[in-house]
Amino acid sequence: GGAGSTGSAGAGQTRWVASEATPAAESVASVTVDDAGNAWLAAAGGGELRLSKIDRGGTVVLERRFAYPRELSTRAISPAPGGGVFLAVPGACFRGCVLPIPQLDLGGGPVGNDGAIVRFDAAGGWLSQFSIASADVPSIASDGRGRVAVLQGAQAKTVVVYDAAGNPLFQAGPFAAPRSLPAFAPDGKLLAAFPDRNFRGGFAARTAAYDASGQERWTCTALSGQVPAVVLAVGNDAFAWLDGNELVLSAVPSCLERFRVDPGVPVTSLLPMRDGGVLAMGWLSTGACATSRLRRFDPHGGLLWSRDLPPGGCPDVRVADGAVAPDGDALAAGIVAGSADLGTGQRDAGSGDAFVVDVSP
């Protein structure tokens, strides 16, 4: 493994960066945090999958590489009980089986053409896998107790909740919005968003919460008709969502808005903060340059800080996924190409390397 670079620790500042030079041009990165506080990075590109475990000091403590002829979601990895992780692998035929299908083996035998959830233990070893019959690139969320929610399907999306052995517990959907990712609240409720017909005959955006048995416990409807691309549980009594270009925090079960703000960036990921606020992250493109931006909002929608990665120049830094560490720090993962400073000094990533940045909240 390699050591992460460390930096300053003020609000919004980089504590460490973990990124390793790879011969393959990585193009997708997904990050999660296990129950011991380690970050796990799944990165894919150039026919290779890299699975890395990073400790709280930013040191890469294990790394596994696999031949990987498939794609990967930016929400492909989620924590499993016992310090390991679940990884969502798409089916081989999700774009049609015109060419011969290369075999895929992540340590436990061939992964079938239908897509699978593969479980790795705390040492990065293959533990189990089960089929999900997904014709597209699946996205997942887990509750840390063994339940996995998978957004799967092709044109019509369905969220299916499985136990750790792959037994389906319940499903909600189908959803017509391919980016409406599932999320779990701390109390175990599952949140999902989808289009619903409103009383005017058009479509509204409906966000609902489901208990462990799959029963709907509350629902909130936004008449704008724009289905949230991201839905996030903020504690057990609120959820953050995107209404077009606006970031909204709504209370539950009343559905009253606590704030509505312009996040200042096309959002790729939202993170819940300990104080009830939200961290929004995404990237802005100008010509050949791409700059990532992190913006921290308090529980009332006030902007506490804003941070660009890197702060200047013409970089190509695209943050795609995020997670919250046990100490409250924010982890941002994405792809950097060329030369850029992510907060701990200039580095050259060549044609594309995945990274994880730890940022103080």
Side-chain angles (χ1 to χ4, degrees):
S5 304
T6 58
S8 57
Q13 299 303 305
T14 299
R15 295 190 193 270
W16 53 257
V17 177
S19 182
E20 297 201 356
T22 59
E26 294 178 326
S27 57
V28 180
S30 181
V31 69
T32 194
V33 177
D34 66 23
D35 54 13
N38 303 292
W40 289 75
L41 171 69
E48 184 176 85
L49 170 70
R50 178 165 62 99
L51 184 66
S52 302
K53 182 178 178 179
I54 308 161
D55 70 15
R56 285 302 298 128
T59 299
V60 179
V61 295
L62 73 83
E63 184 173 272
R64 299 201 63 193
R65 295 176 184 268
F66 306 90
Y68 190 77
R70 303 186 188 182
E71 295 194 17
L72 194 73
S73 167
T74 55
R75 303 291 190 281
I77 193 167
S78 205
V85 291
F86 296 105
L87 181 72
V89 178
C93 297
F94 72 93
R95 285 186 178 169
C97 294
V98 178
L99 300 175
I101 303 302
Q103 290 298 308
L104 175 62
D105 188 339
L106 299 182
V111 174
N113 292 344
D114 290 334
I117 303 300
V118 181
R119 183 176 177 181
F120 295 92
D121 63 22
W126 179 93
L127 195 59
S128 63
Q129 65 191 47
F130 60 87
S131 174
I132 54 174
S134 181
D136 207 339
V137 183
S139 299
I140 62 171
S142 67
D143 63 358
R145 305 175 183 91
R147 291 192 303 156
V148 186
V150 184
L151 180 66
Q152 62 186 62
Q155 297 302 315
K157 298 289 185 179
T158 301
V159 172
V160 182
V161 179
Y162 301 89
D163 64 19
N167 299 305
L169 302 175
F170 68 89
Q171 72 177 49
F175 305 148
R179 292 186 59 216
S180 297
L181 305 172
F184 281 102
D187 62 6
K189 288 188 178 67
L190 174 73
L191 275 65
F194 51 97
D196 194 20
R197 289 199 176 275
N198 64 29
F199 61 89
R200 295 190 180 102
F203 280 96
R206 189 161 74 96
T207 300
Y210 302 87
D211 64 19
S213 65
Q215 296 298 309
E216 188 176 291
R217 290 305 178 190
W218 55 258
T219 183
C220 294
T221 300
L223 296 181
S224 67
Q226 300 203 49
V227 180
V230 181
V231 175
L232 171 77
V234 182
N236 293 318
D237 64 349
F239 70 100
W241 54 289
L242 296 176
D243 187 9
N245 295 323
E246 293 183 301
L247 170 61
V248 185
L249 185 71
S250 298
V252 292
S254 70
C255 303
L256 294 176
E257 292 184 7
R258 293 183 178 176
F259 69 72
R260 177 183 287 266
V261 297
D262 180 353
V265 65
V267 173
T268 58
S269 185
L270 296 173
L271 298 181
M273 297 288 99
R274 283 181 170 178
D275 64 355
V278 178
L279 178 66
M281 60 179 71
W283 54 272
L284 300 162
S285 179
T286 306
C289 309
T291 300
S292 290
R293 178 167 294 169
L294 281 64
R295 290 169 66 84
R296 168 82 155 88
F297 296 93
D298 66 23
H300 308 290
L303 180 63
L304 296 178
W305 53 260
S306 181
R307 168 88 187 282
D308 283 357
L309 294 174
C314 181
D316 189 352
V317 180
R318 305 178 187 225
V319 65
D321 194 15
V324 180
D327 57 10
D329 279 14
L331 302 178
I335 301 295
V336 54
S339 181
D341 183 356
L342 300 180
T344 58
Q346 201 79 7
R347 65 182 303 281
D348 190 348
S351 57
D353 290 340
F355 67 84
V356 179
V357 176
D358 183 298
V359 177
S360 58

